[in-house]
Amino acid sequence: MANQHSVLKYKKIIFCIGDANIGGAEKQLVRLAQEIHKTNTFEVIIWFLNSGGPLIKQVEESEIKYKIFELRILKPWKLLNLIFEFRTTNPEIINTYLVKNIFIISIIKPFLNSQAKFIGSIRGINFKKSLRLLLVI
């Protein structure tokens, strides 16, 4: 009888955030990714949509896959590259942090050809009324 773990297909979870600078949401994302990675139940990938930063060292030490997209200035070909990467990676879960990144992923989600579950993670409760409306849509 085959080993149960040898036939187990890991689900992919992609965490998306702007950069790897030391901030509350960034540290929370890296810590959550590390803990999920330790369980050996998901293939964990972190995508930094804008740039790297000091938290990259922790990600590398945890042996978590990551990619930096350099989307600071939104250009159509950069969004197409992001869509291509999503389609190629084909994650089951997309967990995006912070309003700007949630907005970017929400725009391209219809083009992903994926049944991935989308989670938008926001820290704090001090949002302007217009941002709260955006999050509901």
Side-chain angles (χ1 to χ4, degrees):
M1 188 166 144
N3 182 347
Q4 181 181 5
H5 295 290
S6 64
V7 294
L8 181 65
K9 181 180 179 276
Y10 294 113
K11 291 186 175 186
K12 292 180 188 171
I13 181 168
I14 294 179
F15 290 97
C16 299
I17 197 159
D19 57 49
N21 288 320
I22 299 175
E26 293 81 1
K27 290 190 296 188
Q28 182 184 47
L29 178 148
V30 170
R31 180 75 175 147
L32 180 59
Q34 289 171 326
E35 292 302 316
I36 291 173
H37 182 69
K38 286 179 192 175
T39 67
N40 216 15
T41 55
F42 285 92
E43 179 182 350
V44 178
I45 305 165
I46 301 175
W47 286 358
F48 298 103
L49 300 182
N50 297 325
S51 62
L55 291 174
I56 291 289
K57 183 177 178 186
Q58 289 181 24
V59 172
E60 289 174 341
E61 288 170 354
S62 299
E63 298 180 353
I64 296 174
K65 296 177 187 176
Y66 71 93
K67 184 165 184 152
I68 300 170
F69 284 90
E70 299 291 338
L71 291 177
R72 272 182 238 135
I73 299 172
L74 286 178
K75 306 256 182 191
W77 64 85
K78 290 185 177 189
L79 287 177
L80 288 174
N81 181 43
L82 188 61
I83 291 168
F84 174 78
E85 289 293 331
F86 268 117
R87 286 182 166 204
T88 303
T89 307
N90 197 26
E92 282 80 11
I93 300 171
I94 303 167
N95 188 351
T96 305
Y97 279 66
L98 303 175
V99 175
K100 177 183 173 188
N101 306 306
I102 291 169
F103 183 70
I104 291 169
I105 301 304
S106 296
I107 289 172
I108 67 168
K109 189 172 184 316
F111 303 102
L112 299 184
N113 266 358
S114 172
Q115 296 300 314
K117 302 293 183 210
F118 177 80
I119 302 168
S121 299
I122 301 174
R123 292 177 39 93
I125 58 171
N126 296 323
F127 294 111
K128 293 181 179 177
K129 199 172 195 177
S130 59
L131 291 177
R132 280 184 272 170
L133 177 61
L134 170 66
L135 297 174
V136 172
I137 297 172

